[in-house]
Amino acid sequence: MAAVKRLKRVAALQPGFISFKSSAESDDLNSGRRKRVNKNKKKNWNKHSDIQDVEEFLDDVRLQERATGGLVSEKPDDTLFFVDIGEQKKGVQPEVQERKKGKKSNSRPLRIDLILQHDSLVPPPKDVLAHQQPNAKKLRRIAENAEKLAAMGVLPRRQKRLLSRRPATKTSKAKTAANNFPDRPYYDLWGGEAEETADPYYLEQTGKSRVKRPEKLNAKPSILPAVEVIAPGGSYNPDFFSHQALLLEAHEVEVKREKAELRIERQLAVKQEDTATEETVFQEQVEGLVEEEEDEEEEEEDVSIRGGLQQEKKTEKERKRERADKIKSQQKQAARAFTDKKQQLFQLRSIQATLKRREQRTRERVAQRKANQEAEKSMPRRLGRLKFQAQDLEIQLSDEIPGSLRTLKPEGSVLKDRFKSMQKRNMIEPRERAKFKRRHKVKYVEKRAFKEIT
Amino acid sequence: MGGLQKKKYERGSATNYITRNKARKKLQLSLADFRRLCILKGIYPHEPKHKKKVNKGSTAPRTFYLLKDIRFLLHEPIVRKFREYKVFVRKLRKAYGKAEWTGVERLRDNKPGYKLDHIIKERYPTFIDALRDIDDALSMCFLFSTFARTGKCHVQTIMLCRRLTVEWMNYLVTSRSLRKVFISIKGIYYQAEVLGQLITWLVPYQFAHDHPTDVDYRVMATFTEMYTTLFGFINFRLYQTLNLVYPPKLDSKSESELKAEHEEDYAMDSESYLEKLSALSASLARVVATAEEEENQLDQFPAEGEDLENMEAREKEQKEQEAQNRLFEGLKFFLNREVPRESLAFILRCFGAEVSWDKSLCIGGTYDVTDETITHQIVDRPDIDKQYINRYYIQPQWVFDSVNAKMCLPVEDYFLGVTLPPHLSPFVEEKDGDYVPPEKLKLIALQRGEKHVQDDEEEDDDDDEEDNDEVDDEDLTEEKNLKKMEDQRSQGKTLAVKVTPGKVKPWETGSMGNKVRLEQEEKAEEKRLAIMMMKKKEKYLYDKIMFGKKRTTREANKLAAKRKAHEDTSKAEKKQKKAKKQ
């Protein structure tokens, strides 16, 4: 206690010390009764010694250092005081101007920045360890050692292991460029290839060799040429007759189409008998009201007759006669067959002739069938729901023929020609464009905004 | 008796086929992917012979595939790629939905792709196989390269197609293997002979397409994807055979020549090279600098009898071929603005001509209109203001017709403002006795080296006052000729086609003629005897053949007569018009 008091006293009595705070409460501290405590233990000592005045003093010192950058008592007088010589007119005016400018330019710092600014005048402590390195000596030694080894040509183990590692295969990472990349490279695909030396069974089982393409797959599905040249009448400046021939061909196609259309129309037409007349309408209206009894009676009679026939029984005599008749007819037939056979001996020539004729016919049929099969090879097959439909013949009428190449107007589309050609050669099945089908019905709702108006 | 009852549709054709939907499920692919896979692998649907059996009693039309084909497809590594792609799309969609943009980027970086090289190798085991099937690829690539870049198909595909077609044209120019050209109303048909294979393709005109709606663009794009791969490999190989650099490079000499000062006006830097290549006016760089033309002689083998004849024929053919290849060599052409530049430049260059065009038309023109050494200028307008005296002004059809005729046709028929002779199809080959249009007859005569003594057109235009009886005379003689021709043909002789009446018949002059005549008579006698000695069966066949021949000749004659009538009427009309004018 005494020590504390002494310290306080020392602090307060230090020559020239100026405290920031007024020491009004110091009286209050001294006024309390003295408490007697044993201070022979550290705990007690800590608990009962009064260090408030020292702390206050130190706080004050720190505050002074923060606020003014040093103890006030140590500062020279001219930093603390100034001579008041009244208002300075010169100094005021530029300040006002500046303030106006500031408002205009809005260059005043934000308040938040001001708050966050470092306002202590105590400089931050110097980092002593900034230029020191822990374990510097050891590291230096290691580095020296490594340098020595490198000079000798010995690589450290880590590096050695890295070097010995295989480089990552680039092909796995390399992207496969798109097939339509305009500058894609090509190479000699059919050039000599290294013979595969490994066991073919092993290659096959591990999926390393490709399955061989069956020879049959290389056959073309049609014997038609890939590019069918247009008839000579399709020249831009055709010969008169070939042009006429082409026109005739196109005409025939058109006639055929028209015929088919007409036929359908005819089939769809309503028959004269099917149209309702007054009579039929009346008949329909009275249907079932007038009973027709006659028909029913007839039917009943029929049934009775049939039933009567079935019930009749054959007598023994009749059966015998029937049997005899049957045997007789069989004998007659056999005799007839025998004589016929005999007679055939004399008909040999005519039989031979018929045989020949038959053979001839078969031969003709075989030839015909073969020809048909041949022709079928060049025909489009039925490959799907739709039949192949040839595109319209490209023609130009006589008055459309251009006099020169400059005035030529191309007919038809090459794209369509290619597409149809592929269909014709059975490479793709004929299809029609998929129609857009709505899965759910569209629901129409009038918006409220519109509703109000209408 | 006994045994289990055999179940229906468990053996036979029902087990050999599989419906499309089942196949699709077996491969775990969507329909679009399945279709793509089938196109790429060259597996086509198959029509079964007995549909009802295959379809398990139902007659509903369906698409069937052979089961073995589908089993083969199961081994294809691309199927896995397709599935991967499906998953990729799903993930991408999810990432988009969650607005995970980094995820989207990562997924896009790892987009799965696939190659078709192994499929090409598998489908076409040798180079010649591939070359045989290139018709389709060519037509398709030429078609796609003319598409506008409007999003109907991928722009990259269009660019790739353009590159490949330009490479192909450059190859043909260097190897001089173009044979026939036919300008039709649909497009231009070309035929080339590459390594012994006749290759035909169709090139659409350069005008804007109307995109037909009933064509499945996805299918076409898949075909194109396959064909571009195939085409590229073929191009590489072809360039290799000629020792050319692939991808094609312009000759250093011609490159410096083509260096125009306003180059950047034409195209961007990246595109101008392709443009220059597609101009076709310069030759290509070679791997090994060799002499331009190597005279490759046919190997001589000792041969006898028929072989010798064949050999001679072949040699002759080759000589003709070479002559055709040099058709336009030494000629200098200039293309006017209104003619189709690309096709004409391609054809002319294919036969060794020098071509140039206006600077404003395209990059790569090597000389100007004012060049005095130009021999032909191709013009397609009724009249031209400033004409140079030392060059022919001809219409573009001359080039095409000359190529088809394998000789330079007389330019008079193709001058400016002249009504052109019809453009005949070179793809038609008339058989013995078929109707041959008179233009073609004239052409054949020209090819034989005969000068056309009398020209119908000239007659029409110039000699109006010609006597009528002379015309009649001519008609009579012509008819006689026709009759004679018919007789000769029906006798089965090979006919020497003559269109020049009034020429002195060789067998009517002196002893030489007599000898020839005697020989012919002898031959005819022999033939008659041979006919007499025929068996009944053979005779029947022979008669039949002869009857058929006669019929065709009769029809041909009818057509010829018709033509004559047509011409007469038109002539008369013309005369009337002229008379009216006067």
Side-chain angles (χ1 to χ4, degrees), chain B residues 14 42 93 97 119 180 192 196 214 268 356 367 397 487 491 506:
Chain B
R93 205 184 313 131
I119 289 183
K180 290 174 182 172
D214 47 355
M268 287 190 321
S356 181
Y367 45 86
Q397 198 189 317
D487 288 344
Q491 271 175 28

Side-chain angles (χ1 to χ4, degrees), chain B residues 471-493:
Chain B
V471 174
D472 283 355
D473 254 353
E474 253 178 34
D475 286 356
L476 273 178
T477 48
E478 236 166 78
E479 259 170 45
K480 263 186 202 166
N481 268 355
L482 280 175
K483 275 239 171 103
K484 210 182 268 173
M485 263 155 63
E486 191 180 345
D487 288 344
Q488 277 177 341
R489 278 182 196 182
S490 55
Q491 271 175 28
K493 275 180 196 166

Side-chain angles (χ1 to χ4, degrees), chain A residues 127-186:
Chain A
D127 188 6
V128 185
L129 284 175
H131 301 291
Q132 279 183 9
Q133 207 179 11
N135 295 334
K137 202 173 173 189
K138 188 179 163 195
L139 287 174
R140 206 187 319 131
R141 257 220 325 273
I142 288 171
E144 272 169 14
N145 201 13
E147 227 166 77
K148 217 176 6 181
L149 281 173
M152 279 160 68
V154 182
L155 287 171
R157 189 190 292 162
R158 247 178 100 86
Q159 214 166 343
K160 245 190 270 177
R161 208 187 299 153
L162 269 176
L163 281 174
S164 66
R165 214 162 66 173
R166 251 187 310 166
T169 45
K170 264 189 181 173
T171 47
S172 63
K173 276 233 167 176
K175 269 195 294 176
T176 43
N179 276 320
N180 59 2
F181 181 56
D183 290 327
R184 60 172 294 189
Y186 291 101

Side-chain angles (χ1 to χ4, degrees), chain B residues 527-542:
Chain B
K527 194 158 203 178
R528 224 179 49 223
L529 280 175
I531 290 167
M532 274 168 75
M533 290 296 288
M534 267 181 196
K535 275 184 196 168
K536 202 175 174 187
K537 209 168 165 187
E538 284 167 352
K539 182 81 194 300
Y540 174 71
L541 195 67
Y542 177 77

Side-chain angles (χ1 to χ4, degrees), chain B residues 381-406:
Chain B
R381 53 175 87 175
D383 201 18
I384 196 162
D385 303 334
K386 196 184 167 197
Q387 294 199 358
Y388 290 82
I389 198 120
N390 58 348
R391 66 177 77 156
Y392 294 121
Y393 286 85
I394 46 173
Q395 301 194 37
Q397 198 189 317
W398 181 82
V399 177
F400 302 109
D401 281 351
S402 296
V403 167
N404 291 336
K406 301 181 184 178

Side-chain angles (χ1 to χ4, degrees), chain B residues 26 61 109 120 172 175 188 240 271 310 313 398 443 499-500:
Chain B
K26 194 168 189 159
D109 282 343
I120 300 292
L172 288 187
S175 68
I188 305 178
Q240 229 181 17
E271 285 174 346
N310 279 343
W398 181 82
L443 204 138
V499 262
T500 51

